[in-house]
Amino acid sequence: MQLPLDPPAPLFVADDSSSPPPSPRTESTKDLSLSVNYLPNKFSSGLLSPTPRRRKPGKDNADHPVMHKRGGGREAFKSGEARMPAEGDEDYDGITGRWFGGKEGGHTRPRMHWNRFKWALFIANLALSTYALAGLIFCLLTWFDVFEHADIVRVGNRQELILSTAAAALASVTSVIGWAGILLNNRSFLAVYTFALWLCFALLVTPGYMTYKQRTFNLEGKLNAQWSRDLHPEGRLRIQNRLHCCGYYSPFVEATVSQSCYARSVLPGCKDAYVNFEKRVLDIWYTIAFSLVPLQLVIMLTGLLCSNHVTYRFGKGMMPKAYRLSMASMAVIMDNYASQLAEQYGTEIASEILARSRHLDSVTYTSGTANGTGTTRPLSHGRYDSLAMRSPYTERI
């Protein structure tokens, strides 16, 4: 015959007879951190040291071999690292004293390290800047009629030239935004940069498609219609002067009269020279545009994957204000921790744990004074002791 078993007792639920008295704390709870609702399983190792600890050994902390480095910073997400930074941590984003950081009035700016995502963005944006500036310079030289036959392009391919200039100008502006986001670690700039890359891609393929369609499908018929319907006499004259021809088929067919082009002129018609020139120019145009498409796609993919990881931190690495710890919040956490220890293990074990905490705090303070630092903060001395004195379970323990 099996005897009925008693139900298991919860670990952190106290009996009515042993429930602690209400906390005599008088300060308002609205200023406490929201972290008091959670019991952290890992505190910052900086709580063990009374002075700020540098991450790398140097002259400032050569005399403190027993101190552990603080949590936070770009190493906070490594295995076995402390999560909680302190005010004196070199990777804590505080307010610097000068524009570029300094010791007067702020924290010393640490030595920065570029991660692989930032290097990928750097290389991608360098490629974007190179082809954007090259394309913009070439388009501007065409508009300024620097090349020998640039005026023909300005007359016969004006729409494609406008779109290519807009694409090169937008790509140049986008690369400047990218440099600002990369060098300043600004994710807002990089978000705009990533979005603008899609606009650059659209403006890149548009003139390429237009020139390819014009070159591939009935180029001769399109040029015939352009000469007779779209070009004004001034445009025909500019093409005649550049190609040294007169009229379209002959001086008697749709010719613009000039000093070299008249009824008895011996100059040939412009059709053959104009068609051959357009074939050569359009081939080069869409070949360059489409050859840049794979590079632009790689740049866009790099921006999408790496723009939010320009640093290993999320944002500026600062905990939201509602969740930042203070001495009052730590007192509440220690109260909850002491109550759970008392309810789970009894008052004797809880008393021994709190005694060890006070002893460890006093040993750390003595070690910092013996090393000759001369820098001790009032909150660092007796830290756990002061928290224990606030606890409503101190008298009971």
Side-chain angles (χ1 to χ4, degrees), residues 223-255:
L223 294 181
N224 294 340
Q226 181 190 47
W227 187 278
S228 61
R229 300 178 183 178
D230 299 334
L231 294 182
H232 299 287
E234 181 182 357
R236 298 172 187 169
L237 178 62
R238 291 162 63 179
I239 295 177
Q240 290 177 171
N241 293 335
R242 293 295 181 177
L243 294 179
H244 304 288
C245 57
C246 182
Y248 193 62
Y249 294 101
S250 65
F252 299 99
V253 180
E254 295 181 339

Side-chain angles (χ1 to χ4, degrees), residues 102-175:
K103 294 184 178 180
E104 291 91 1
H107 303 288
T108 302
R109 188 178 294 273
R111 183 180 178 183
M112 305 301 293
H113 299 275
W114 285 22
N115 55 30
R116 54 188 176 181
F117 303 106
K118 191 169 183 177
W119 278 111
L121 284 172
F122 176 82
I123 296 174
N125 198 51
L126 181 62
L128 177 65
S129 303
T130 302
Y131 91 74
L133 289 178
L136 182 61
I137 292 174
F138 188 83
C139 291
L140 291 179
L141 292 178
T142 304
W143 282 111
F144 295 150
D145 198 11
V146 176
F147 304 112
E148 180 182 1
H149 297 98
D151 202 22
I152 303 177
V153 177
R154 294 194 302 170
V155 174
N157 308 100
R158 186 178 185 85
Q159 188 175 4
E160 294 85 349
L161 183 60
I162 291 175
L163 290 175
S164 298
T165 306
L170 180 60
S172 301
V173 175
T174 303
S175 65

Side-chain angles (χ1 to χ4, degrees), residues 344-380:
Q344 184 176 1
Y345 300 106
T347 57
E348 296 181 359
I349 302 297
S351 177
E352 182 180 356
I353 293 176
L354 292 179
R356 290 181 181 178
S357 300
R358 288 192 293 269
H359 176 69
L360 181 59
D361 189 27
S362 62
V363 168
T364 305
Y365 176 78
T366 305
S367 174
T369 306
N371 286 328
T373 59
T375 305
T376 55
R377 290 175 290 180
L379 296 179
S380 64

Side-chain angles (χ1 to χ4, degrees), residues 167-385:
L170 180 60
S172 301
V173 175
T174 303
S175 65
V176 173
I177 298 175
W179 288 125
I182 293 171
L183 298 179
L184 298 178
N185 296 334
N186 193 310
R187 288 182 172 85
S188 300
F189 284 176
L190 291 176
V192 177
Y193 167 75
T194 305
F195 175 75
L197 288 176
W198 291 86
L199 302 180
C200 295
F201 177 75
L203 287 178
L204 175 65
V205 299
T206 300
Y209 171 73
M210 293 175 61
T211 53
Y212 174 78
K213 185 177 67 172
Q214 184 177 1
R215 168 65 179 85
T216 306
F217 303 104
N218 194 16
L219 175 62
E220 183 177 352
K222 293 176 181 178
L223 294 181
N224 294 340
Q226 181 190 47
W227 187 278
S228 61
R229 300 178 183 178
D230 299 334
L231 294 182
H232 299 287
E234 181 182 357
R236 298 172 187 169
L237 178 62
R238 291 162 63 179
I239 295 177
Q240 290 177 171
N241 293 335
R242 293 295 181 177
L243 294 179
H244 304 288
C245 57
C246 182
Y248 193 62
Y249 294 101
S250 65
F252 299 99
V253 180
E254 295 181 339
T256 300
V257 179
S258 64
Q259 294 181 355
S260 59
C261 182
Y262 46 90
R264 296 179 178 270
S265 176
V266 295
L267 294 177
C270 297
K271 178 179 178 180
D272 293 337
Y274 188 41
V275 170
N276 293 331
F277 175 81
E278 284 293 321
K279 286 182 179 180
R280 184 173 66 257
V281 169
L282 294 177
D283 283 336
I284 298 175
W285 206 318
Y286 74 74
T287 301
I288 295 177
F290 289 153
S291 64
L292 291 176
V293 168
L295 178 61
Q296 180 68 20
L297 291 176
V298 172
I299 296 173
M300 293 165 56
L301 183 62
T302 304
L304 287 173
L305 296 180
C306 303
S307 61
N308 202 33
H309 305 283
V310 66
T311 58
Y312 283 126
R313 280 185 194 176
F314 179 78
K316 288 190 175 181
M318 299 178 65
M319 184 172 290
K321 188 175 182 180
Y323 289 88
R324 295 176 187 173
L325 289 178
S326 61
M327 293 306 297
S329 303
M330 283 296 298
V332 174
I333 293 177
M334 293 300 295
D335 289 348
N336 297 335
Y337 185 52
S339 64
Q340 293 179 9
L341 290 177
E343 293 167 359
Q344 184 176 1
Y345 300 106
T347 57
E348 296 181 359
I349 302 297
S351 177
E352 182 180 356
I353 293 176
L354 292 179
R356 290 181 181 178
S357 300
R358 288 192 293 269
H359 176 69
L360 181 59
D361 189 27
S362 62
V363 168
T364 305
Y365 176 78
T366 305
S367 174
T369 306
N371 286 328
T373 59
T375 305
T376 55
R377 290 175 290 180
L379 296 179
S380 64
H381 176 59
R383 185 180 295 119
Y384 290 151
D385 196 8

Side-chain angles (χ1 to χ4, degrees), residues 62-123:
D63 299 331
H64 311 288
V66 297
M67 296 182 187
H68 303 280
K69 67 180 181 181
R70 296 182 182 273
R74 54 188 172 84
E75 298 181 356
F77 296 98
K78 288 184 178 180
S79 177
E81 293 289 337
R83 274 24 175 196
M84 188 187 305
E87 185 179 0
D89 189 10
E90 68 174 359
D91 276 343
Y92 185 80
D93 284 335
I95 301 176
T96 56
R98 297 178 179 178
W99 286 101
F100 300 99
K103 294 184 178 180
E104 291 91 1
H107 303 288
T108 302
R109 188 178 294 273
R111 183 180 178 183
M112 305 301 293
H113 299 275
W114 285 22
N115 55 30
R116 54 188 176 181
F117 303 106
K118 191 169 183 177
W119 278 111
L121 284 172
F122 176 82
I123 296 174

